[in-house]
């Protein structure tokens, strides 16, 4: 913690400078020299201040020493002591003041230590050979080939600097000499780079000691235009603070995150140049606009008020950000966001008052010089630096030769290797015919594993052939397959949303989406994490199109078009220029969630609640039956992914590339729906580990005729060595994996030890894989295509027998005492159907339900808890059954006694269920509109309220309280006619919480035409205004026909 | 401090090699640190030892204000360069065994070296903290030679607790050569001679200030220069140089003759075979170091030209046969103490607009130009060597001692008058209101007694005569 706020920033600054110097000079040696000089020059002002304290001390010593000598000579004992005390009193001196000469050290010490640690940890130094001197990372051996010469030169320089020190006296000379030799001993075994740094630093001392003497001899006067007192200074001091505070609030938090997690840029296809342009706009535009406004405010005489406003807003934002980050989780209370915000507000107010009243504003302007450094750190040093065309001097040599084998590497995203396997572990031919086809003449690795469960680490690792990490994320600059083939001249066709866009062929940026996503991300960064996630959800791992201002057009049938568009476009490029590119690489975010495609590619969507719970949250808050539904969704989409693979194979065969190419098909990581409570991608438990670390892996060598299965444990890190092996190239850098071509009888490759959870679960891997396959078989059966799969979500074999059973009307005359309501509506375009099961008016869990379509049981499932709500059920249907637009599902309660009995469940709407039984409350709804937002018009007619909205400006209507007294658990009925489908959200308040919040809202889907919706308010003290939100986007024309309240 | 120490030890222990990046100066600092800590510990233990085991005549640091009484008169000096003004006064206080406080801003102030029971000296640092301490000073009377105390833009405020702030000149000048407002916050001014009163009253009426108490006291710094001159004469006989020696002593800033006329006239003198000693005002080194370097460069190659950097000008003045200056007060020191002629180089009036002389048609110093030597206009500068020659050979200096007696009161004894005044003021102003009333009645009674006595003696004389 202390390190984070003290030495770490300094180390970062020094490292930034070093990397920039390396980029400029291309030489690590000269960069260290320049760093040492720069540090000395930059700390010069500090040295000046501290040396003044030192000089002060020297003065005292010069004046006091002779007097002390006299006293000591003339007096003894207590008289002497008294005389000395009197002397000190007259001069207001104390012997402890000697430490004043230490101030210089206190200021410099952090720089020295930071430079030391930075250089020690700087990997760019080892192995760099300097002519004559040798390797920067190890001590030199210039003295008789064995001993180190440079430390002696360093000591010599040190002594020269000492001797030439102006204020040098005999005592300090002796002290200095002892220290110099001490350093010689300490540093004798140090790497050359450290010695170079320190020698240079001392050379600076030496030259600054000699400068006054030289200047006297060479009377050259250089008169530089003075900054001090000039108009430039005045302008700078007046306006530069804006640049500082604005970027402190915007750029610093943004780059703090994007420096480490830069998928936002890659996902939007931004090249290095585009990113830099964006950063410059972000850094400069707001400041320029505000500066102009300040100029205007000054003309109008309101400069100080303007300064206060700018400071208040931006310093406030920055402090809110700081408090939210530093204080997160400390209070663990619901009020934490509010408390942190208030604290930030308080500190901001104090700071603004102090700054404005002490004239510190002008001094603040000088801090603006930090901002360019932040930018440079991002571009050159942060992990994101890999996005920018190579920091010079780091590129590895081009290999001597590469043969002309075309390479095709296809990487799916979030696709478990176990998914394509049948119960025995072979390729599931009926469900994954594409994989089966390539397996006919490829090596299939059923036990292939990923080395990381995060896409932005896994994919770069695969392409680099080395394990990347959160700290060293992104592609290894200059050391990856893409640049290897590019530099060789073999031609590259590469596409991935997590790799630098400079290396990808598709560099199109959707500015609107980018702006919306960036703003949303920024809001996330500065806000309290829980609060903002509750408000607008988490940042999805795709890092794209999540922005709150960006809307996916509901009218567009091609919801899942993004990854598929990328696949189509890549495939087109590949086949059109079949002979051109040697290395063809595609990482496509498919069958990655959200699930929008059926097994046959038909567009499907999930209900809002379902989507939010399973795919946009870090944790899954639903019971297993719900996860099984998600599993089925995934299964369908992965089946469609197989169709894509089939297309690829077909196209390759048609263009003649198939035979002669090395084709590798795999995925970045798997996915698990085997356990609730955790993210579907984080392998923290045995249950989820198996499905997440397993990836499909097919390797088809050029002209391979027969397929084989290799059960060795291998990883995605073994792909790069395999490609290099086939292309007959010696890797210019060290690879973590090994070629699969020459695996022989090895049961596992070396890189297997690098996989996540290796220590904990790998020993049981085979058993766990077996278990994973059997669960899948249990849930979805075997042998029929996924599109026709009948599902059994209960995981209980007894119920499996029920699937596809004919349900004759006569056998199920009896009605269950359960009721069901659809949580939305049962529609073929929805992937998942869900609702709630009641006994009377109480939701009930653990009820086994069968869904019957066309008189056949198509799904069996259990009601349970989702998001804390009981009675929820969900199921998804075999595509064959869900396909017809007109279909009707009936639900049956399943009871297993001596024989299985089915009781028909009445599907009701909640009105019939409980509305009627409640008491009516008088509410003059037509005359109760309190306020509106984002509407074109609101007309109150005799029988209705007519609402028109044409913008996406959050249209809503706030209604006045229903009653002065709080109402317990009311049901609000709203009847309306809508021009389109939309999500109606009802916000309400309670006695204690008199504001609107997402946590106190109910959502219902509204369809085109007449709708009757019932909102059950689960509060005992419902009170105050309530708000009806009419969704987002497009033209909305809603007539509210009735609002009725009962309790 | 302890924490810093621990921190240092910690960082030292964390990585020995960290110190590899220390430069020589920092290394020394480290050594100094340990010496300081060790030294302080020893000093503390010693103090403790004497406190416990031996009788200490002096109280320890915690009682440092002991012996200082807020009713003592205060001398406030900016530092070493005003020592000539304060030395005679300090010596007079000590001679009379009157307790007084001496406050200085300069560690090099020689007064601090004096260890005397009557003298309570204290150095105060010349920064915001120091000036804040000064502002809180309590004293009946404070003598200072620093103009501008209390003025806007000057760092030192007038101490509220000082009842009578007294100004003493540190050169033979009057208020005309001070910047406007320099003495506005002073209550009293010690005049060199009666002639100085006029200019002060002129300034007071021009700006509507209340009248200051004016005391004709003399000029202590002139007394000190005279003493220095005598001591120097005792040590060695000066002069006797074969060449005629010209002392060039410009003022600093815009009033200086180098700033106004450049150094060409020095070249003229050098070419004509004069020995030239250049002596700048001490402020030039502080406020215009760039110009000083320039002038040095311009004159360093000239024959017979030397620079005098001594703190006091006594030696240089002793060697000189004639002085060339501008409006500088050194002219009067030279003329009145050494009784040799002075050439005053003309400085345009515009340059003085920010000074109190702005209110005056002619200043006392202006009227003195022709009395102590010859005024030289810029046109005549090219023939300065001729003027020097003529002045030395023909100007009559016999009247100089008469001039001095006319304009400088209490020559050689100004400190006696000043100390008497300060002591009286200290006593008077230390009294409470009641005490003051009784004091007045006592004085009245004393007056009455004196009067009665004189009447009595008059009567007795009368009766004696009658008898």
């Amino acid at each position: 913690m202390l390190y984070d706020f003290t030495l770490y920033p300094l180390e970062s600054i020094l490292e930034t400078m070093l990397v920039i110097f390396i980029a400029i000079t291309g030489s690590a040696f000269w960069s260290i020299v320049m760093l040492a000089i720069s540090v000395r020059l930059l700390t010069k002002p500090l040295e000046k201040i501290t040396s003044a304290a030192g000089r002060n001390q020297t003065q005292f010593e010069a004046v006091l020493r002779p007097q002390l000598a006299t006293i000591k000579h003339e007096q003894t004992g207590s008289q002497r002591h008294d005389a000395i005390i009197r002397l000190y009193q007259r001069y207001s001196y104390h012997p402890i003041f000697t430490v004043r000469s230490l101030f210089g050290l206190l200021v410099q010490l952090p720089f020295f230590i930071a430079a030391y640690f930075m250089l020690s940890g700087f990997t760019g130094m080892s192995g760099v050979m300097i002519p004559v001197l040798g390797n920067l990372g190890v001590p030199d051996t210039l003295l008789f080939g064995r001993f180190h010469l440079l430390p002696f030169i360093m000591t010599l320089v040190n002594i020269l600097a000492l001797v030439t020190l102006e204020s040098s006296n005999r005592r300090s000379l002796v002290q200095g000499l002892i220290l110099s030799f001490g350093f010689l001993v300490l540093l004798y075994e140090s790497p050359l780079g450290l010695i170079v740094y320190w020698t240079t630093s001392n050379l600076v001392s030496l030259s600054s000691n000699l400068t006054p003497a030289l200047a006297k001899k060479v009377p050259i006067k250089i008169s530089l235009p003075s900054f001090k007192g000039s108009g430039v200074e005045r302008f700078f001091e007046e306006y530069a603070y804006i640049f500082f505070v604005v970027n402190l609030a915007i750029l610093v938090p943004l780059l703090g995150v994007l420096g480490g997690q830069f998928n936002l840029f890659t996902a939007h296809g931004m090249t290095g140049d585009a990113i830099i342009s964006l950063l410059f706009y972000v850094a400069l535009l707001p400041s320029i606009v505000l500066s102009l406004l300040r100029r205007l405010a000054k003309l109008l005489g309101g400069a100080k008020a303007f300064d206060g406003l700018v400071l208040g807003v931006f310093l406030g934002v920055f402090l809110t950000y700081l408090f939210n980050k530093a204080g997160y989780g400390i209070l663990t209370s619901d009020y934490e966001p509010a408390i942190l915000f208030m604290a930030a507000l308080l500190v901001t107010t104090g700071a603004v008052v102090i700054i404005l009243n002490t004239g510190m504003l002008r001094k603040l302007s000088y801090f603006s010089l930090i901002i360019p450094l932040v930018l440079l750190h991002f571009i050159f040093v942060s992990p994101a630096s890999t996005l920018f065309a190579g920091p010079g001097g780091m590129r590895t040599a081009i290999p001597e030769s590469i043969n002309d084998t075309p390479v095709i590497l296809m990487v799916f995203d979030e696709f478990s290797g176990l998914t394509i396997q049948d119960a025995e572990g072979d390729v599931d031919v009926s469900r994954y015919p594409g994989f089966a086809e390539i397996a006919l003449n490829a090596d299939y690795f059923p036990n292939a594993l990923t080395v990381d469960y995060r896409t932005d680490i896994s994919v770069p690792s695969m392409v680099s052939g080395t394990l990347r990490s959160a700290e060293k994320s992104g592609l290894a600059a200059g050391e990856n397959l893409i640049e290897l083939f590019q530099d060789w001249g073999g031609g590259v066709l590469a596409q991935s949303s997590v790799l630098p866009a400079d290396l990808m062929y598709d560099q199109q940026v959707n500015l609107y989406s980018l702006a919306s996503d960036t703003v949303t991300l920024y809001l996330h960064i500065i806000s309290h994490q829980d609060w903002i996630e509750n408000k607008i959800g988490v940042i999805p791992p795709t890092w794209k199109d999540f922005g709150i201002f960006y809307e996916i057009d509901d009218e567009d049938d091609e919801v899942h078009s993004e990854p598929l568009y990328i696949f189509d476009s890549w495939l087109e490029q590949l086949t059109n220029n079949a002979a051109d590119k040697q290395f063809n690489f595609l990482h496509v975010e498919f069958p990655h969630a959200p699930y929008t495609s059926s097994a046959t590619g038909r567009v499907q969507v999930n209900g809002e609640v379902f989507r939010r719970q399973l795919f946009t949250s870090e944790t899954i808050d639903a019971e297993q039956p719900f996860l099984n539904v998600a599993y089925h969704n995934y299964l369908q989409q992965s089946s469609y992914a197989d169709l894509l693979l089939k297309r690829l194979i077909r196209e390759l065969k048609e263009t003649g590339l198939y035979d002669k190419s090395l084709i590798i098909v795999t995925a970045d990581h798997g996915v698990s729906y085997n356990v609730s409570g955790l993210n579907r991608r984080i392998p923290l438990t045995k249950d989820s580990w198996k499905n997440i670390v397993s990836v499909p892996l097919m390797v088809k060598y050029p002209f391979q005729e027969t397929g084989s299965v290799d059960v060795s444990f291998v990883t995605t890190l073994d792909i790069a060595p395999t490609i290099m092996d086939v292309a007959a190239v010696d890797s210019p850098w060290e690879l973590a994996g090994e070629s699969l071509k020459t695996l022989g009888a090895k049961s596992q490759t070396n890189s297997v030890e690098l996989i996540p959870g290796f220590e904990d679960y790998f020993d049981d891997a085979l058993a766990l894989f077996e278990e994973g396959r059997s669960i899948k078989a249990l849930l979805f059966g075997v042998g029929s295509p996924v599109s026709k799969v009948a599902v059994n979500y209960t995981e209980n074999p007894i119920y499996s027998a029920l699937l596809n059973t004919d349900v004759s009307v006569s056998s199920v005359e009896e009605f269950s005492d359960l009721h069901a309501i659809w949580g939305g509506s049962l529609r073929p375009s929805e992937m998942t159907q869900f609702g709630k099961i009641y006994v009377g008016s109480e939701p009930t869990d653990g009820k086994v339900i069968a869904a019957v379509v066309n008189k056949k049981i198509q799904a069996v499932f259990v009601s349970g808890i989702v998001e804390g709500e009981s009675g929820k059920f969900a199921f998804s249907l075999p595509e064959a059954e869900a396909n017809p637009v007109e279909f009707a599902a009936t639900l049956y309660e399943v009871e297993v006694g001596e024989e299985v009995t089915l009781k028909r469940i009445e599907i009701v709407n909640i009105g019939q269920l409980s509305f009627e039984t409640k008491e009516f409350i008088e509410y003059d709804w037509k005359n109760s509109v309190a306020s509106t937002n984002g509407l074109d018009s609101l007309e109150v007619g005799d029988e209705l309220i007519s609402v028109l909205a044409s913008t996406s400006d959050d249209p809503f209507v706030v209604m006045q309280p229903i009653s002065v007294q709080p109402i317990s658990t009311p049901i609000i009925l709203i009847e309306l006619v809508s021009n389109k489908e939309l999500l109606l959200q009802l916000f309400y308040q309670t006695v204690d919480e008199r504001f609107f919040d997402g946590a106190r809202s109910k959502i219902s889907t509204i369809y085109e035409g007449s709708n009757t919706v019932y909102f059950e308010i689960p509060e005992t003290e419902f009170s105050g205004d309530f708000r009806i939100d009419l969704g987002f986007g497009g033209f909305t024309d809603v007539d509210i026909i009735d609002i009725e309240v009962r309790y | 401090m302890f924490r810093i120490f621990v921190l240092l030890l910690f960082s030292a222990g964390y990585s020995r090699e960290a110190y590899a990046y220390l430069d020589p100066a920092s290394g020394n600092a480290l050594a100094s640190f340990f010496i300081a800590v060790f030294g302080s510990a020893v000093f503390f233990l010693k103090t403790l030892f004497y406190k416990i085991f031996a009788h200490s005549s002096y109280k320890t640091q915690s009682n440092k204000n002991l012996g200082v009484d807020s009713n003592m008169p205060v001398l406030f000096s900016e530092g070493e360069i005003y020592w000539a003004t304060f030395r005679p006064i300090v010596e007079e206080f000590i001679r009379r065994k009157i307790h007084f406080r001496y406050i200085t801003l300069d560690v090099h102030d020689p007064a601090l070296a004096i260890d005397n029971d009557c003298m309570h000296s204290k150095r105060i640092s010349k920064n915001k903290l120091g000036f804040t301490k000064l502002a809180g000073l309590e004293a009946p009377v404070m003598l200072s030679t620093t103009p501008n105390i209390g003025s806007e833009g000057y760092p030192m405020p007038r101490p509220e607790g000082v009842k009578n702030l007294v100004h003493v000149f540190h050169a033979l000048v009057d208020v005309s050569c001070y910047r406007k407002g320099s003495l506005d916050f002073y209550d009293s001014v010690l005049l060199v001679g009666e002639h100085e009163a006029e200019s002060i009253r002129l300034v007071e009426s021009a700006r509507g200030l209340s009248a200051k108490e004016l005391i004709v006291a003399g000029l202590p710094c002139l007394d000190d220069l005279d003493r220095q001159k005598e001591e120097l004469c005792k040590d060695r006989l000066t002069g006797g140089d074969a060449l005629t020696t010209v002392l060039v002593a410009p003022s600093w800033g815009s009033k200086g003759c180098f700033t106004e006329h450049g150094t060409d006239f020095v070249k003229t003198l050098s070419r004509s075979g004069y020995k030239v000693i250049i002596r700048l005002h001490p402020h030039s080194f502080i406020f215009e170091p760039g110009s000083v370097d320039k002038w040095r460069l311009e004159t360093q190659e000239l024959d017979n030209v030397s620079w005098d950097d001594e703190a006091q000008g006594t030696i240089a003045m002793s060697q000189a046969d004639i002085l060339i200056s501008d409006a500088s007060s050194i002219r009067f020191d030279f003329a009145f103490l050494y009784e040799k002629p002075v050439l005053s180089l003309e400085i345009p009036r515009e340059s003085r607009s920010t000074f109190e002389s702005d209110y005056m048609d002619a200043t006392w110093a202006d009227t003195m130009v022709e009395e102590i030597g010859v005024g030289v206009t810029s046109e005549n500068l090219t023939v300065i060597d001729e003027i020097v020659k003529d002045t030395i050979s023909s100007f009559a200096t016999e009247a100089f001692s008469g001039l001095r007696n006319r304009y400088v009161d209490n020559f050689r004894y100004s400190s006696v008058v000043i100390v008497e005044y300060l002591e009286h003021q200290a006593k008077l102003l230390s009294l409470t209101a009641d005490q003051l009333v009784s004091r007045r009645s006592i004085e009245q009674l004393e007056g009455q007694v004196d009067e009665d006595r004189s009447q009595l003696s008059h009567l007795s004389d009368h009766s004696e005569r009658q008898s």
Side-chain angles (χ1 to χ4, degrees), chain A residues 60 63 81-82 86 89-92 96 98 101-102 112 116 158 172 175 179 183 187 190 194 197-198 202, chain B residues 17 19-24 27-31 33 36 40 47 50 56-58 107-108 112 114-115 122-123:
Chain A
F60 271 106
V63 172
H81 190 66
D82 290 344
R86 286 197 303 274
Q89 284 184 9
R90 288 200 299 276
Y91 283 89
S92 306
I96 196 73
T98 317
S101 49
L102 190 76
F112 295 142
Y116 178 80
N158 202 344
S172 64
Q175 282 173 13
L179 271 160
F183 289 158
L187 270 187
S190 293
L194 293 173
Y197 180 88
W198 195 65
N202 277 309
Chain B
E17 287 176 290
Y19 289 107
Y21 287 96
L22 306 187
D23 69 359
N28 284 343
L30 196 64
F33 170 75
S40 299
T47 307
Y50 287 121
S56 178
S57 63
Y58 208 88
V107 67
H108 296 291
L112 289 175
I114 299 173
D115 185 10
K122 193 84 192 156
R123 180 194 64 86

Side-chain angles (χ1 to χ4, degrees), chain B residues 200-237:
Chain B
I200 290 179
R201 296 297 180 219
L202 204 63
V203 170
E204 283 170 356
S205 67
R207 276 209 301 279
L209 304 169
S210 55
K212 298 183 201 315
E213 186 183 2
L214 303 179
I215 305 99
V216 179
L219 188 62
C221 69
L222 193 70
D223 298 350
D224 198 65
L225 283 176
D226 181 57
R227 192 183 54 86
Q228 283 182 36
K229 183 189 127 195
E230 298 298 323
E231 278 174 5
L232 191 71
C233 289
K234 246 186 266 169
D235 289 352
R236 53 178 171 159
L237 280 169

Side-chain angles (χ1 to χ4, degrees), chain A residues 793-827:
Chain A
Y793 299 146
T794 65
E795 295 172 47
N796 183 337
I798 295 172
Y799 300 116
S800 301
L802 290 174
L803 291 174
N804 286 317
T805 313
D806 266 317
V807 180
S808 69
V809 178
S810 58
S811 68
V812 286
E813 273 306 289
E814 200 182 336
F815 272 85
S816 163
D817 49 5
L818 303 180
H819 307 284
I821 57 157
W822 296 117
S825 124
L826 187 69
R827 298 183 311 140

Side-chain angles (χ1 to χ4, degrees), chain A residues 40 59-60 63 67 77-78 80-96 98-99 101-102 104-106 108-109 112-113 115-117 119 158 161-162 165 171-173 175-176 179 183 186-187 190 194 197-198 202 205 219, chain B residues 1 4 8 11 14-33 35-37 39-40 43 46-47 50 54-61 63-64 107-116 121-124 293 297:
Chain A
R40 289 304 301 266
Q59 271 187 5
F60 271 106
V63 172
Q67 296 191 54
S78 66
R80 179 200 279 179
H81 190 66
D82 290 344
I84 292 174
I85 288 180
R86 286 197 303 274
L87 179 74
Y88 284 163
Q89 284 184 9
R90 288 200 299 276
Y91 283 89
S92 306
Y93 181 79
H94 190 279
I96 196 73
T98 317
V99 298
S101 49
L102 190 76
L105 179 67
L106 282 182
Q108 290 202 28
L109 204 60
F112 295 142
I113 298 175
Y116 178 80
F117 284 132
L119 281 175
N158 202 344
L162 260 174
L165 206 62
R171 196 185 63 167
S172 64
L173 194 71
Q175 282 173 13
L179 271 160
F183 289 158
L186 283 173
L187 270 187
S190 293
L194 293 173
Y197 180 88
W198 195 65
N202 277 309
S205 299
Chain B
M1 187 48 66
I4 296 172
L8 261 169
S11 47
Y14 197 50
S15 166
R16 282 189 317 159
E17 287 176 290
Y19 289 107
Y21 287 96
L22 306 187
D23 69 359
S26 306
N28 284 343
L30 196 64
S32 303
F33 170 75
I35 291 168
V37 172
S40 299
F43 188 77
K46 260 179 145 181
T47 307
Y50 287 121
H55 170 73
S56 178
S57 63
Y58 208 88
K59 298 290 186 276
T60 46
Q61 287 258 312
N63 296 325
K64 59 181 158 195
V107 67
H108 296 291
D109 195 325
L112 289 175
I114 299 173
D115 185 10
N116 186 286
S121 306
K122 193 84 192 156
R123 180 194 64 86
I124 285 180
D293 288 346
L297 268 177

